[in-house]
Amino acid sequence: MFALSIENESTVDCFLERLCSLDQDLTRHFDTKLIIDRNLTRQIVSSQADKTRPKYRWYKYKEAFSSGLVEYVLGRYGVQSGTVLDPFAGTGTALFASSALGFDADGIELLPVGQTIIEARQFASSRTNKQHLERLRWWVANKPWETSETPKEFSVLRISKGAYSEETEMLIKKYLACLESEQDEVASLLLFAILCVLESVSYTRKDGQYLRWDYRSGKKGFGKKKFDKGPIAPFSRAICRKIEEIGFDLEKPDKEASLFSPTKAKESSGKINLFRGSCLNVMPKLPADYYSAIITSPPYCNRYDYTRTYALEHAILGITDIENLRLRQSMISCTVENREKDLLSINPSWNNVIGVCDAFPLLSEILSYLHAMKSNKALNNNGIPRMVKGYFYEMACVIQECFRVLKEGGMMFMVNDNVRYAGVSIPVDLILSKIAEDIGFTIENILFLPQAKGNSSQQMGVHGRDALRKCVYVWRKSH
Ligand SMILES: C[S@@+](CC[C@H](N)C(=O)[O-])C[C@H]1O[C@@H](n2cnc3c(N)ncnc32)[C@H](O)[C@@H]1O
């Protein structure tokens, strides 16, 4: 099937016609479920709505959704009690927001950056006392790293080497050395604080697929356009501000008003539990029929490489180049470098859902088209067909596990974007919803934002602007 090549324009047209017709069939199938939801703003489905919200503002995880979204979907779909799961927990927004509403919450996260942030925040909220806060104030007043003599080396990753000026790098090393002599609680807060400021004191900017380098880094090979990220914060100022912000939020009682449930913050928060690792390995070990709701946002099928964009943080956390590469391969396939995973060796019972994917006409047609475009050298990267296939097959296995672990009547909410490759819009929302339906979910809604999203400038330049839906899928487990 994949040996096809595109000999002429009419072959492309035939492909496009078939893709269009299959897409229309599926759109008709979900016609009554696809609805615009005006409450879903760009701010609420991203971290922007939490920019100033205490605790959520500490670490700016660009791929996060907001706590308001969690409150909104739980309220709108009447989830009242029980345990919430997020298999792609990131920095734990779903966990902290649902815990504040009284739910227990379990999360699974693969990357050390997310794991460390979740654990530090959990630790900060549950174990910080007046002495710890006093100690943080001492750090800000005395800046021990400025006078320390002993730097502590940290990992040098190939992709983050040279990210700081010499002065900043030395201050970071001394800061790391100083925090080692603190008690665990304070050291954990201080380590978390430095993760929050690394980008702002570096020559880099997180840019989805990779780290973008400011011209001041002296790195060569940036083409004609020089990138200037604007002011680079001096280390001492940035870290003092962050420590102050953390201390300030921890001193306040935990009763911030929320966007969608101003009175709902519960007296007692639910318990939070984090599983470290890939959800492909962890989920099969979770109990069946247990969770009341799943709220999640997987990586999108958009080539964003978290192991590159979070390299500064991973270096500080002691991750080596080899470990970072391993993490990249363990992620849900979302980069062109992901190799195919042997899903059946992870869990033989995914056989059925793999069959669902194999027999899915639109998915097969998209993959054939991408392979044909690859043979025709018409893709800007040859890894795209493998990534797209891996994405849907792996997500199908995750969805099957989500179905298994949800209670009867349990709800699943997933934030995701549609994507476009080689001029073809891939309706990720419809494809994943159809897979979910075939597994047994009832598709309640595919809510989408009033303002659809464009795609990369590269794609738009070549293929014109064709808006891509950004959605929240709402599925229910009911027989
Ligand atoms: C879109 S982000 C989720 C952000 C999260 N909703 C938040 O608010 O912080 C997707 C997350 O999935 C994680 N991830 C990717 N592959 C994974 C896997 N196989 N198992 C567990 N987590 C994974 C990434 O590290 C990333 O943190």
Side-chain angles (χ1 to χ4, degrees), residues 47 50 61-67 70 86-94 108-114 118 275-282 295-300 306-307 310 327-334 341 394 398 415:
S47 58
D50 279 339
Y61 200 55
K62 291 207 171 70
E63 296 76 15
F65 48 53
S66 75
S67 50
V70 177
D86 185 349
F88 299 99
T91 49
T93 313
I108 307 171
E109 174 55 45
L110 174 73
L111 293 189
V113 57
I118 293 174
F275 297 98
R276 291 168 166 249
S278 168
C279 58
L280 288 168
N281 298 114
V282 174
I295 308 176
T296 198
S297 172
Y300 302 163
Y306 293 65
T307 58
Y310 292 96
L327 288 167
R328 187 175 306 150
Q329 288 306 329
S330 303
M331 286 188 67
I332 287 291
S333 291
C334 59
K341 295 184 181 60
E394 291 162 33
V398 174
V415 180

Side-chain angles (χ1 to χ4, degrees), residues 28-136:
R28 266 194 297 278
H29 179 75
F30 288 123
D31 196 27
T32 56
K33 313 291 179 185
L34 272 160
I35 9 183
I36 295 184
D37 184 336
R38 300 204 177 275
N39 285 307
L40 294 181
T41 58
R42 218 152 249 301
Q43 281 73 22
I44 193 177
V45 295
S46 72
S47 58
Q48 282 175 47
D50 279 339
K51 239 174 29 195
T52 57
R53 194 167 179 180
K55 298 188 179 171
Y56 294 96
R57 63 182 174 163
W58 292 343
Y59 187 93
K60 292 185 178 57
Y61 200 55
K62 291 207 171 70
E63 296 76 15
F65 48 53
S66 75
S67 50
L69 178 78
V70 177
E71 291 151 2
Y72 175 62
V73 295
L74 288 172
R76 175 171 169 173
Y77 290 93
V79 185
Q80 306 275 1
S81 59
T83 306
V84 169
L85 171 71
D86 185 349
F88 299 99
T91 49
T93 313
L95 314 184
F96 292 106
S98 44
S99 156
L101 294 173
F103 295 90
D104 287 340
D106 287 353
I108 307 171
E109 174 55 45
L110 174 73
L111 293 189
V113 57
Q115 296 165 351
T116 309
I117 291 166
I118 293 174
E119 285 172 347
R121 183 168 163 188
Q122 204 183 350
F123 195 67
S125 300
S126 61
R127 296 196 29 199
T128 319
N129 62 28
K130 279 204 172 121
Q131 282 79 39
H132 302 142
L133 294 175
E134 205 39 61
R135 195 67 194 152
L136 292 186

Side-chain angles (χ1 to χ4, degrees), residues 83-193:
T83 306
V84 169
L85 171 71
D86 185 349
F88 299 99
T91 49
T93 313
L95 314 184
F96 292 106
S98 44
S99 156
L101 294 173
F103 295 90
D104 287 340
D106 287 353
I108 307 171
E109 174 55 45
L110 174 73
L111 293 189
V113 57
Q115 296 165 351
T116 309
I117 291 166
I118 293 174
E119 285 172 347
R121 183 168 163 188
Q122 204 183 350
F123 195 67
S125 300
S126 61
R127 296 196 29 199
T128 319
N129 62 28
K130 279 204 172 121
Q131 282 79 39
H132 302 142
L133 294 175
E134 205 39 61
R135 195 67 194 152
L136 292 186
R137 272 191 283 274
W138 180 89
W139 268 65
V140 171
N142 292 283
K143 304 182 187 58
W145 61 90
E146 287 189 344
T147 47
S148 161
E149 295 294 323
T150 45
K152 176 179 181 248
E153 295 302 318
F154 58 87
S155 250
V156 180
L157 291 180
R158 208 173 33 80
I159 42 183
S160 64
K161 192 168 178 210
Y164 312 101
S165 68
E166 266 177 39
E167 185 193 348
T168 298
E169 186 163 327
M170 185 48 75
L171 288 170
I172 292 175
K173 288 177 180 170
K174 289 182 177 176
Y175 178 96
L176 292 173
C178 290
L179 71 79
E180 286 203 320
S181 52
E182 287 292 340
Q183 276 179 3
D184 283 356
E185 288 84 350
V186 176
S188 138
L189 288 171
L190 292 169
L191 178 65
F192 171 59

